[in-house]
Amino acid sequence: MPEFSKEKYATIISEIRDRILSAEIFSNEKNRVFIESTSLQIRKILELIAYLSVLVNSEKLNHKQRNEYHASKIIDSLIERTTIFYPLPSHMIHPSKENEQPVLIPLGFNGALTQEQFRDTYQLCGKVVHAQHPLKPDLDIQGVFQKNKEILDKIKSLIRSHTIGIRKSEDKYTFLHVEIDFSNHETTKPSFIREYNAQIYSEKQLIEIFNAA
């Protein structure tokens, strides 16, 4: 089974944060080129989020699926093979003692990007980044301008504070909790990434925890 790398996860998180901050700058301009540039960054961000899911579920995918770059296809492949793979917006109460377990508090997907919205957004961004075909209906580029702003907010709500389960072996699972500071000034905190050993010994237990959340 391919080994999970927290360092690779952290590298992708850093790139996602940088691209979101750049996309937000582009998203303030109603010029078509800036709107298209924002959509391109969003598309790349969605691909990176899908790659996070590949990292923590690589053993469930075959070689071709692990190397897939199309975000929607990655999501579809994971849906066929597992239930828990998407970031869960959540707050974690960190243990104060060695023998304590962390407490997971779900934040829900109200305001966060759902899997269905993920697919729809990826498809829309694909249309925007291509030149307008003269024989097809004109794209509502100003509608895309507003949509991009909404999607960036939803993406930030999805990953700002999220938890995901990781299968370490056949009968051992851990939690990875991530907190990202999207401010951009001298007091900005570095991203927090911590893996917790949890008393979870089957995917059924993991599904029950996340579904309850």
Side-chain angles (χ1 to χ4, degrees):
M1 181 174 68
E3 186 70 24
F4 167 72
S5 170
K6 189 169 74 173
E7 290 72 25
K8 286 184 179 179
Y9 200 100
T11 298
I12 294 176
I13 286 294
S14 178
E15 184 176 348
I16 289 173
R17 181 185 178 277
D18 290 345
R19 288 189 181 279
I20 286 175
L21 293 177
S22 296
E24 286 184 321
I25 295 171
F26 296 152
S27 71
N28 291 322
E29 300 291 336
K30 290 190 175 183
N31 177 286
R32 186 183 187 104
V33 173
F34 279 91
I35 294 171
E36 292 172 349
S37 297
T38 305
S39 293
L40 177 60
Q41 289 305 315
I42 290 174
R43 184 176 169 91
K44 285 179 174 289
I45 290 163
L46 295 180
E47 288 170 351
L48 290 168
I49 291 172
Y51 297 160
L52 294 178
S53 293
V54 169
L55 270 181
V56 298
N57 293 280
S58 59
E59 83 286 350
K60 299 183 179 77
L61 304 173
N62 60 37
H63 177 76
K64 180 180 178 182
Q65 291 162 342
R66 283 197 295 269
N67 290 281
E68 177 63 64
Y69 69 89
H70 192 285
S72 289
K73 290 182 180 179
I74 291 172
I75 297 299
D76 288 342
S77 294
L78 287 166
I79 286 174
E80 290 176 3
R81 288 160 178 78
T82 187
T83 304
I84 306 303
F85 66 87
Y86 197 66
L88 175 70
S90 51
H91 174 66
M92 186 74 78
I93 299 177
H94 307 290
S96 57
K97 299 177 183 177
E98 246 182 70
N99 59 347
E100 286 183 345
Q101 286 286 302
V103 178
L104 180 69
I105 301 176
L107 300 176
F109 283 90
N110 185 21
L113 194 73
T114 65
Q115 291 180 37
E116 184 178 355
Q117 291 167 341
F118 183 106
R119 283 202 200 85
D120 292 343
T121 301
Y122 192 72
Q123 185 177 16
L124 175 61
C125 288
K127 293 178 181 178
V128 177
V129 299
H130 291 95
Q132 174 69 51
H133 193 290
L135 302 181
K136 292 185 177 180
D138 288 344
L139 184 68
D140 178 10
I141 197 67
Q142 292 307 315
V144 173
F145 169 80
Q146 186 58 42
K147 186 75 173 176
N148 281 346
K149 284 183 166 293
E150 294 170 2
I151 290 300
L152 285 170
D153 285 341
K154 286 179 180 290
I155 291 173
K156 287 167 71 175
S157 294
L158 174 68
I159 66 167
R160 180 183 282 112
S161 181
H162 73 268
T163 306
I164 196 158
I166 303 170
R167 184 184 186 220
K168 303 296 284 190
S169 63
E170 189 173 344
D171 58 354
K172 183 182 178 183
Y173 291 78
T174 63
F175 284 131
L176 190 73
H177 182 68
V178 181
E179 296 173 10
I180 307 169
D181 184 353
F182 283 106
S183 63
N184 196 19
H185 46 65
E186 291 181 358
T187 59
T188 299
K189 298 176 183 177
S191 295
F192 172 93
I193 301 181
R194 183 169 177 180
E195 187 175 357
Y196 286 106
N197 291 322
Q199 295 177 359
I200 303 172
Y201 306 106
S202 70
E203 187 166 63
K204 182 181 177 182
Q205 283 180 276
L206 189 68
I207 290 170
E208 287 173 353
I209 291 169
F210 275 74
N211 282 348

